[in-house]
Amino acid sequence: MDPRIYFFQSLVEDRSRRILELGPLNRPIADKSIYPNTFYCDIRSTEDVRKLYSGNDYLEATGIMVDPKTIVPIDYVIKENYEKTFAEVEKFDCVIASHVLEHMDDLIFALRDLSTVLKPGGIFCIIYPDKRYCFDHFRTSASFRDAYNVFRNGSVQNAPMVLDFYYSVVPENSPSLFWRKDGILDHLPKTSFEKAVRHYEQALQGAKMDDVHYWPFTDMDFLKFLYDCIRAGLLPFRCTAFWPCVQNSQQFMIALQYDQSVMTAPEQSAGELAMVMQKAAPDYFSSKDIAMSQENENLRAVVNSQKAEIKSLTSKLEEYKEIIREQEYVIDVLKTEQE
């Protein structure tokens, strides 16, 4: 089973729940035949999404290929924002964003906006690409600093992210290549500076990009971003599940629970997220790092086993010494009696 689907189904066992999935494209997480109260939404109509994926600069830059015929029909087209679009619609038990949030030009606003369509206690299921193992590999990680600047001053402030995307993204998206690490430099970015600057200047003028990864994060970078947002009182969420990026994959998964009280009393939620960060798996970079760690772990296991064996042998040696001492005492007694 697709790990994204497994993650979602582990969060939502009741198949009667109301589900809203953002930008499902041709690989929706929530199957309507299993979850009948599922609705798909996008900022474009079904026809416009299919037209977009027939060819654009994003597809050329990243090497992504999507057959427009396989794109699923859209139920709701987002107008202005999610809060206004769904103002007269019953709220949802779960919102799914699989490889969608990185495309939002104002990430903090988008997260706050999406919280408005959730029921209290509703789940926000996030699947996010880890920049280290996809076409964002050579890009600089985003941060709370970048996202807050856009949130306060408008989406034209993400023009540097647009420049970074078009100048540093590569048309290679195989996670195993980046995990192996061998030959990565054969895939250094080659996009022309002039082309990247053209998109940068368009963004400065307020133009909407066809499709861009504005916010490249590693799994731990994203947790830190959420931590900063929550402790600043900007997001009404608690983190209830976190699956880090694992070897030969390119995504991590997070579940957030909608809780409006977090906005006014963020300390507990921020503390809970800090605990998630502490318990998260080590931030490996490549399969070589994992192999070395496993080798070290095996060596530690061998050493611990040898220590236990030495302790056992030492204990037995003491027992033998005690037996010898008792036998020597008996011999001494017998010798004395014979004399």
Side-chain angles (χ1 to χ4, degrees):
M1 178 186 290
D2 184 331
R4 302 176 307 149
I5 296 175
Y6 183 76
F7 180 67
F8 160 67
Q9 292 187 353
S10 72
L11 299 172
V12 184
E13 296 181 357
D14 185 346
R15 297 186 176 185
S16 67
R17 296 297 188 184
R18 283 178 54 79
I19 313 295
L20 180 67
E21 181 164 356
L22 285 52
L25 207 56
N26 64 335
R27 297 176 61 202
I29 305 301
D31 187 332
K32 290 188 176 187
S33 67
I34 300 175
Y35 293 87
N37 292 320
T38 294
F39 302 88
Y40 302 143
C41 69
D42 202 290
I43 60 172
R44 300 176 179 87
S45 67
T46 307
E47 294 72 22
D48 287 341
V49 175
R50 289 173 178 168
K51 181 179 179 181
L52 176 66
Y53 278 86
S54 296
N56 59 52
D57 288 342
Y58 168 82
L59 299 177
E60 180 183 344
T62 62
I64 296 295
M65 296 180 64
V66 175
D67 182 354
K69 296 178 182 178
T70 63
I71 292 172
V72 300
I74 300 301
D75 298 303
Y76 292 99
V77 177
I78 306 305
K79 302 297 185 183
E80 292 190 57
N81 56 50
Y82 288 87
E83 184 175 15
K84 290 183 179 180
T85 302
F86 295 97
E88 304 300 324
V89 177
E90 181 185 349
K91 294 189 183 297
F92 297 92
D93 298 290
C94 179
V95 169
I96 304 170
S98 177
H99 293 249
V100 170
L101 290 179
E102 63 274 15
H103 297 274
M104 303 287 196
D105 56 5
D106 187 339
L107 183 55
I108 294 177
F109 174 82
L111 290 168
R112 289 163 64 96
D113 187 26
L114 284 162
S115 73
T116 65
V117 307
L118 280 167
K119 297 176 182 179
I123 298 298
F124 191 1
C125 176
I126 299 171
I127 297 99
Y128 207 99
D130 190 309
K131 69 167 286 288
R132 295 167 297 177
Y133 311 115
C134 68
F135 50 67
D136 286 324
H137 177 83
F138 293 102
R139 299 182 62 198
T140 302
S141 283
S143 67
F144 173 76
R145 169 200 62 210
D146 304 314
Y148 185 71
N149 184 49
V150 173
F151 177 65
R152 282 294 303 272
N153 301 307
S155 59
V156 295
Q157 295 297 322
N158 62 32
M161 314 303 284
V162 173
L163 176 67
D164 181 53
F165 177 82
Y166 279 107
Y167 196 51
S168 297
V169 77
V170 294
E172 175 54 63
N173 204 41
S174 171
S176 59
L177 182 147
F178 295 113
W179 276 95
R180 288 197 308 271
K181 202 173 179 179
D182 296 327
I184 285 182
L185 296 184
D186 295 336
H187 298 273
L188 280 168
K190 296 180 175 61
T191 307
S192 72
F193 178 63
E194 292 75 15
K195 185 173 183 178
V197 167
R198 185 171 71 250
H199 287 289
Y200 168 73
E201 292 174 346
Q202 290 173 345
L204 283 177
Q205 294 166 10
K208 295 293 184 181
M209 300 293 103
D210 283 337
D211 222 344
V212 165
H213 277 198
Y214 292 102
W215 312 106
F217 286 109
T218 68
D219 50 13
M220 290 301 292
D221 286 339
F222 191 76
L223 286 178
K224 175 58 166 53
F225 162 74
L226 289 177
Y227 172 80
D228 286 337
C229 287
I230 289 172
R231 71 189 181 97
L234 292 173
L235 296 181
F237 293 113
R238 297 184 183 280
C239 180
T240 58
F242 168 60
W243 291 13
C245 188
V246 297
Q247 186 175 5
N248 292 328
S249 74
Q250 61 175 197
Q251 61 197 3
F252 53 90
M253 293 170 270
I254 295 176
L256 302 178
Q257 185 175 47
Y258 174 52
D259 182 349
Q260 188 61 36
S261 69
V262 172
M263 298 282 281
T264 53
E267 295 80 9
Q268 181 178 347
S269 181
E272 291 167 353
L273 193 52
M275 293 297 293
V276 172
M277 295 168 68
Q278 289 178 4
K279 294 177 181 178
D283 195 11
Y284 291 118
F285 183 80
S286 73
S287 54
K288 290 183 178 178
D289 297 323
I290 289 180
M292 182 173 293
S293 176
Q294 289 176 339
E295 184 177 347
N296 290 338
E297 193 64 34
N298 291 338
L299 287 173
R300 280 192 290 271
V302 170
V303 169
N304 289 336
S305 176
Q306 291 176 339
K307 285 181 178 179
E309 186 175 354
I310 290 172
K311 184 176 180 180
S312 175
L313 290 173
T314 301
S315 177
K316 289 181 179 180
L317 180 59
E318 290 301 322
E319 291 177 5
Y320 293 148
K321 286 181 177 179
E322 182 62 28
I323 291 172
I324 291 172
R325 283 194 291 270
E326 290 177 355
Q327 291 177 341
E328 288 177 342
Y329 173 76
V330 171
I331 291 172
D332 288 341
V333 171
L334 290 173
K335 284 183 178 179
T336 303
E337 291 177 351
Q338 289 176 356
E339 293 175 355

